[in-house]
Structures are given as structure tokens and as C-alpha cells.
Amino acid sequence: MDILAKNITQLNETLASQVPVEILQAFQRSILDLEEKQTGSKSLSIGEKFPDFQLTNYDGKIFGLQDLLKGKLVIAFLRGSWCPYCNLEMQALQNELHQFETKGANLVIITPQPANINSEWQQQQKTGFQILSDKDNLLAKKLGIDFELQDFVVPHYKAMGIDLLQINQTDQYALPIPAVYVLDSDAVVTYRSLNPDYMKRVNIEELLDQL
């Protein structure tokens, strides 16, 4: 078990003791529903080319795929700064940033959050990589990794203080499932890790082995 998986196990234990049972059950029901629908199963496969995009960073600068594709590129889709699992993954990636750089790989995070929230997140996490805004999950939709929160779970998110319409400045309760893609210099996918269960994240050691 890598360090990220260990930290997630500890987080699950903490949440189990702090979050009301009915909320935890609703979250689990939501995950099971996404798994039954095989959300993300039709996303890009290894050997396919990643689509081009134009996304903004924290200060409004626009980045296209070719701007980031300097050798290998690692693209990680995260749900947002409000998600404790995403924060753990962000920390794990930041902790290994020197490894990515040593292997000649660029790293970028993509989230549906607007630039101002991503800017706050970047400062909080002290990250050394770009966080880009995928407004309305347009790129996530193109990749087949987007989904809408089920009606039964939305009130529980709100009860936790998570109002996605306000956070993401949108009219959709839409999110990407956590996904990581490794691209070669021609933007071809050489590795991917995605799971509709947001509690299960990429194995960092396995990811580094793919670079």
C-alpha cells in the first residue's frame, strides 16, 4: 500500500467517527450508483490521443495542450479543494514533484473550480504545478469522466457546507471522477487511472513507474 492509500485509510477512519451515519450512507449509495453505471468506462484508452484544450490557470492565463506537453505530461482531474481526498492526492503529487521533474514529466491538475478558488487552493497547498479550470466540466465531458450528482445526495453535500453551484459558479451539480492520464510527447495516452469511487485514488508509486 503506497503512502496515499494509507492516508486515505486514516481519513476514512476519521470521517467515520465525525460524519453522521446517514450522510456516509448517502455518499456510499452515490458511489455504488456510479459504479453500477460504469461511469468513466468509455474514457480514453491507452494508445489513444488526448484531445486539445484551452483552459485558464489561477491568474487567467490560457494554456493549451501543446503549452504543457514538454516531454511527458501527467494530467490529474480532481473534484475540488472542498474534497479531503483530493487534498490528499494533491499533497501526494506535490511531495513527489521532484520525481516527476527528474523523469522529464510535466504535471498539471484540472478541476471544475473557477480560477479564484484554484488560486486559493494553490496557495494553501503550496503547489509547484499548474491548476487549471475546466468550466462546466467541458473537457471532462469530452473524456467521458463527468457525472452529475444524484438528487438524493445533493442535500447531504449541502449539509456538509458544499454548495457546488456556488463553488463552481455553474448551474450543474457536475463533477469529474478522479482520473490521471500520462501522455507521451505526441499526446498519446500511455497510462491511465480512474475510478468512480472518489475514495480510491491513483497509486503514486505505480504512476512514477510509468514515467
Side-chain angles (χ1 to χ4, degrees), residues 2-5 7 86-102 107 109 124-129 204-205 207-208 211:
D2 73 344
I3 187 65
L4 177 55
N7 289 340
C86 294
N87 280 290
L88 288 180
E89 183 174 339
M90 180 91 83
Q91 292 162 14
L93 292 170
Q94 176 62 34
N95 289 342
E96 300 297 338
L97 185 58
H98 66 288
Q99 293 263 41
F100 289 100
E101 294 171 344
T102 298
L107 171 65
I109 302 297
Q124 291 169 358
Q125 295 284 358
K126 297 181 174 62
T127 59
F129 43 79
I204 302 296
E205 294 175 2
L207 173 60
L208 290 170
L211 301 179

Side-chain angles (χ1 to χ4, degrees), residues 48-143:
E48 293 188 294
K49 197 160 186 175
F50 201 90
D52 197 8
F53 55 78
Q54 298 286 317
L55 302 176
T56 55
N57 73 348
Y58 68 95
D59 63 359
K61 182 178 178 181
I62 297 175
F63 283 83
L65 180 58
Q66 294 304 317
D67 298 318
L68 301 163
L69 204 58
K70 301 168 183 177
K72 292 185 177 180
L73 175 62
V74 179
I75 300 178
F77 284 81
L78 299 181
R79 304 194 311 159
S81 55
W82 50 268
C83 172
Y85 298 91
C86 294
N87 280 290
L88 288 180
E89 183 174 339
M90 180 91 83
Q91 292 162 14
L93 292 170
Q94 176 62 34
N95 289 342
E96 300 297 338
L97 185 58
H98 66 288
Q99 293 263 41
F100 289 100
E101 294 171 344
T102 298
K103 292 173 177 284
N106 195 13
L107 171 65
V108 63
I109 302 297
I110 296 178
T111 165
Q113 294 180 155
N116 62 313
I117 296 181
N118 282 339
S119 176
E120 294 173 1
W121 199 12
Q122 198 147 18
Q123 293 172 16
Q124 291 169 358
Q125 295 284 358
K126 297 181 174 62
T127 59
F129 43 79
Q130 293 288 346
I131 306 177
L132 304 181
S133 299
D134 182 21
K135 175 67 175 172
D136 294 329
N137 287 280
L138 296 182
L139 179 56
K141 288 177 182 177
K142 192 180 292 187
L143 294 170

